[in-house]
Amino acid sequence: MKIKSYFFSLFLFGIFSAQSYKAVYDFKWKPQKNATEYLHEDFALLINENKSSDFLSYIKFKNDSTKTKTVKDFKKIGQGSMSFNYKYGESKFNDVISKNYINKEILFQKQLYDKLFLVKNECKINWKINSEKDKLLGYSVQKASTEFGSRKWIAWFTTEIPVQDGPYKFSGLPGLILKITDSENEFIYEMKSITKETNDISERNYGVTNTIKLSSEKYQKIWEDYKKQPSSIFNYLTQTNNDGWTANYTIGGGNPNDKKYQEKFDKQQLEFLKNFENPIELKNDCL
């Protein structure tokens, strides 16, 4: 009976996990370590039939979903024009964290000006599962802890949703992470809702010609330079990629070769970067 019960459990796990979900998380963070108030923004975790997932701001998710539908409808017709009503500036995040459950890889995508950086990672997170249990959103949850990015983290996961994933880069527990915080409560991800639904954001990068694939170490160098002088990204040369379709973009309505435009861009971006002076990862633990 125990053997039959074991295989039956595996069978049920396979049935329930091979579904698509959208989990919405409230993310709160302290922009500076000594900040007295949190900033916050909603994020979506799109789970694709337990094969992969995408984690991105909810505003970007809505934009990317609309863009994907527009592009796919346009490609079916093969003629005409397209326009994208992107809500730039409403979200503080334009990055996407994509996890592949099969090969255990994480693809970090970040757009800086007109350049899209793709960084492939393997993040090994070693969890310690605690016996402490609780209830969140009506689900039975269990406590787990880990160290990641030189911070200590406490997570609450549920085996009632058999998806070994969670917000940001966190994954690997025997169930979905509903809440995770660092030990100093500077960063808090807490799930607000989860629904069974399929979403498509596959055409989110349509029209982006400056796509750069690079190592985590090289990206970190570019990111550090960007934080010191954002306009340094203008001088980063890339090879363009064209899949046969074309799109025209205007960013900021200025000339990146113009000194005044560079100064204005630096001023705006340095002010914006104050939102992230307290980094979620103090050290890069991903290869």
Side-chain angles (χ1 to χ4, degrees):
M1 291 297 294
K2 289 184 179 179
I3 294 175
K4 288 182 179 179
S5 176
Y6 172 74
F7 283 111
F8 182 68
S9 297
L10 286 178
F11 175 72
L12 287 178
F13 188 92
I15 290 176
F16 288 111
S17 61
Q19 299 185 35
S20 295
Y21 297 87
K22 181 187 74 181
V24 179
Y25 291 84
D26 175 41
F27 175 43
K28 297 196 299 185
W29 76 98
K30 290 189 175 182
Q32 297 84 29
K33 189 170 181 61
N34 59 351
T36 57
E37 295 183 356
Y38 291 100
L39 298 177
H40 74 94
E41 187 165 339
D42 284 351
F43 272 73
L45 176 65
L46 310 177
I47 299 163
N48 310 306
E49 296 184 340
N50 210 26
K51 296 177 182 178
S52 63
S53 69
D54 299 297
F55 185 71
L56 66 169
S57 81
Y58 199 83
I59 293 172
K60 180 169 171 56
F61 154 66
K62 297 295 288 184
N63 285 335
D64 289 350
S65 297
T66 301
K67 181 179 180 180
T68 294
K69 185 180 185 307
T70 300
V71 171
K72 287 194 168 183
D73 288 347
F74 174 78
K75 287 184 176 182
K76 286 179 183 178
I77 301 172
Q79 59 183 357
S81 61
M82 288 185 294
S83 62
F84 307 127
N85 185 25
Y86 249 57
K87 298 177 181 178
Y88 287 110
E90 290 192 13
S91 173
K92 291 181 172 61
F93 302 87
N94 67 15
D95 43 297
V96 181
I97 296 172
S98 300
K99 303 187 190 102
N100 186 311
Y101 300 162
I102 308 301
N103 60 23
K104 308 299 182 185
E105 285 184 343
I106 293 178
L107 183 65
F108 175 77
Q109 305 172 62
K110 177 77 170 180
Q111 184 160 353
L112 298 176
Y113 195 64
D114 63 336
K115 300 171 180 65
L116 180 68
F117 293 93
L118 306 178
V119 184
K120 196 171 286 187
N121 290 148
E122 287 186 23
C123 302
K124 295 182 179 180
I125 302 178
N126 298 313
W127 295 99
K128 293 181 180 179
I129 297 179
N130 192 288
S131 60
E132 187 176 347
K133 296 183 179 180
D134 205 340
K135 282 274 191 179
L136 282 176
L137 291 177
Y139 294 99
S140 297
V141 293
Q142 190 167 352
K143 189 177 182 180
S145 62
T146 189
E147 290 191 19
F148 178 72
S150 289
R151 293 184 186 273
K152 295 180 180 179
W153 297 87
I154 295 173
W156 293 91
F157 69 95
T158 179
T159 56
E160 294 176 20
I161 305 174
V163 178
Q164 298 182 18
D165 205 346
Y168 193 58
K169 298 178 182 179
F170 298 106
S171 64
L173 284 166
L176 184 65
I177 298 171
L178 302 194
K179 183 177 181 179
I180 185 165
T181 65
D182 71 298
S183 59
E184 298 184 15
N185 280 322
E186 294 177 8
F187 301 91
I188 304 170
Y189 291 98
E190 186 165 8
M191 198 173 78
K192 299 168 64 176
S193 65
I194 183 167
T195 51
K196 292 178 182 178
E197 61 179 78
T198 301
N199 292 280
D200 187 1
I201 57 171
S202 59
E203 295 286 355
R204 63 185 177 275
N205 297 328
Y206 174 84
V208 179
T209 56
N210 291 335
T211 301
I212 308 109
K213 297 178 181 179
L214 73 176
S215 68
S216 182
E217 291 78 11
K218 287 184 179 180
Y219 172 75
Q220 289 299 321
K221 175 63 169 62
I222 292 170
W223 178 237
E224 291 302 320
D225 290 343
Y226 185 87
K227 288 191 294 184
K228 294 174 185 174
Q229 184 181 5
S231 62
S232 63
I233 203 67
F234 298 160
N235 299 320
Y236 191 86
L237 301 178
T238 64
Q239 293 182 342
T240 59
N241 176 37
N242 193 320
D243 63 356
W245 301 87
T246 60
N248 294 321
Y249 286 79
T250 301
I251 302 179
N255 181 356
N257 295 316
D258 180 70
K259 186 176 180 181
K260 288 186 177 179
Y261 181 76
Q262 293 176 8
E263 291 173 350
K264 180 181 178 182
F265 184 81
D266 283 339
K267 184 178 180 181
Q268 290 175 338
Q269 290 302 302
L270 288 172
E271 183 64 27
F272 176 76
L273 288 170
K274 289 180 180 179
N275 294 304
F276 313 105
E277 288 180 348
N278 184 26
I280 192 169
E281 293 180 55
L282 300 172
K283 186 185 77 171
N284 181 24
D285 283 341
C286 299
L287 302 176

